[in-house]
Amino acid sequence: MEEIWITVLCENTAGMGFLGEWGLSMLVEADGQRILFDTGMGVAIAHNASLLGVDFGKVDKIVLSHGHHDHTGGLEAVLRRMKKEVEVIAHPDIWTSKYSRRPGGAENYSGIPFRRELLENLGACFTESRRPVNITGRLMTTGEIPMTAPYEEIDGSLLVRKAGMMLPDELRDGLALVIDSAYGLIVILGCGHHGMINTLRHARELTGRELIYAVIGGTHLLNASGERLEKTVAGLKD
């Protein structure tokens, strides 16, 4: 029987002895590969990985779902513990100057908190692609996710600074990880900024498979309207 292991290294809840923080990181073991998917905000990943006995030196690749700091903030700590060169798969727009607008109009920087040169000096070898990246025959990233469900939209409080102006962030760097398993597709979301249903539709088109076995990760539905939640549930049932 095919074995797939998905270990949550950090998220916003935690059991006794572990640390929780805003953000996400998961270790995905499938098809002979150990993939670190996102790195959380920074503090929790190394602590929790140590408690779980996770050796970052045995990770084959890192995949970044997008360039927000709560999914990339632990990258420096991870690289320092890996002590080797490692491929980091991401969209080129992870380097854009990202901000979020808080209630009251204040804008806070929310992008990657490290210079690229620092990460490369620590061993990161970036593979940047707007298109899907095949990691193995059954493991791939989605690349850019098209917006096809009319009720799903990107949070308007997320911004990007371009030419001195604050503009809505289209989050083209948002991607998911797809495992084409014997059970069906396993789709791993980072934040799900493009919408869970949009992401699942895209995964089905990329793989040619209809059956979704599992969806794991962030859905960005915290502030969704009741109508959107109902339509999302209906979309999942479909």
Side-chain angles (χ1 to χ4, degrees):
M1 183 65 71
E2 179 181 21
E3 283 196 357
I4 296 171
W5 292 86
I6 300 173
T7 305
V8 177
L9 297 182
C10 64
E11 56 141 1
N12 62 318
T13 63
M16 187 175 295
F18 292 90
L19 296 178
E21 65 184 13
W22 196 257
L24 182 69
S25 177
M26 289 184 277
L27 179 64
V28 180
E29 299 173 80
D31 209 17
Q33 290 284 300
R34 293 166 62 90
I35 308 297
L36 183 62
F37 184 73
D38 286 345
T39 64
M41 187 174 282
V43 175
I45 185 171
H47 173 83
N48 293 346
S50 178
L51 290 183
L52 291 167
V54 172
D55 181 359
F56 287 128
K58 295 181 180 179
V59 169
D60 297 298
K61 299 180 190 296
I62 298 173
V63 174
L64 299 178
S65 67
H66 62 302
H68 281 150
H69 70 287
D70 54 335
H71 291 253
T72 61
L75 188 52
E76 180 186 1
V78 168
L79 292 171
R80 290 190 183 279
R81 284 161 177 77
M82 293 181 82
K83 298 179 181 179
K84 67 176 184 179
E85 290 191 351
V86 62
E87 182 181 17
V88 182
I89 300 170
H91 188 284
D93 283 5
I94 61 168
W95 303 109
T96 56
S97 187
K98 295 178 178 293
Y99 287 79
S100 60
R101 180 175 287 132
R102 302 295 183 187
E107 295 161 351
N108 296 323
Y109 179 74
S110 59
I112 295 179
F114 312 111
R115 291 176 58 86
R116 179 174 185 150
E117 292 82 358
L118 169 65
L119 300 175
E120 290 178 333
N121 286 338
L122 292 173
C125 300
F126 288 94
T127 296
E128 298 176 6
S129 177
R130 300 178 187 276
R131 298 181 58 80
V133 174
N134 289 309
I135 299 172
T136 70
R138 296 187 299 165
L139 193 61
M140 69 186 302
T141 66
T142 60
E144 293 185 4
I145 299 168
M147 303 290 288
T148 57
Y151 53 87
E152 292 189 319
E153 59 185 9
I154 296 173
D155 189 340
S157 69
L158 302 176
L159 308 170
V160 62
R161 184 187 293 276
K162 290 184 178 180
M165 296 185 296
M166 286 293 187
L167 303 173
D169 191 351
E170 297 180 359
L171 276 158
R172 295 186 185 277
D173 51 321
L175 56 81
L177 189 64
V178 180
I179 305 171
D180 190 355
S181 79
Y183 312 104
L185 297 180
I186 299 173
V187 182
I188 302 173
L189 309 175
C191 251
H193 283 299
H194 287 81
M196 179 164 45
I197 303 305
N198 286 327
T199 305
L200 296 181
R201 287 177 176 178
H202 188 49
R204 293 169 81 178
E205 288 182 6
L206 289 175
T207 60
R209 293 198 66 185
E210 292 292 310
L211 179 62
I212 305 289
Y213 177 74
V215 189
I216 304 172
T219 61
H220 220 272
L221 292 168
L222 181 64
N223 297 316
S225 66
E227 180 183 7
R228 178 174 173 180
L229 289 175
E230 290 177 2
K231 289 181 177 179
T232 299
V233 171
L236 283 172
K237 289 181 177 179
D238 287 343

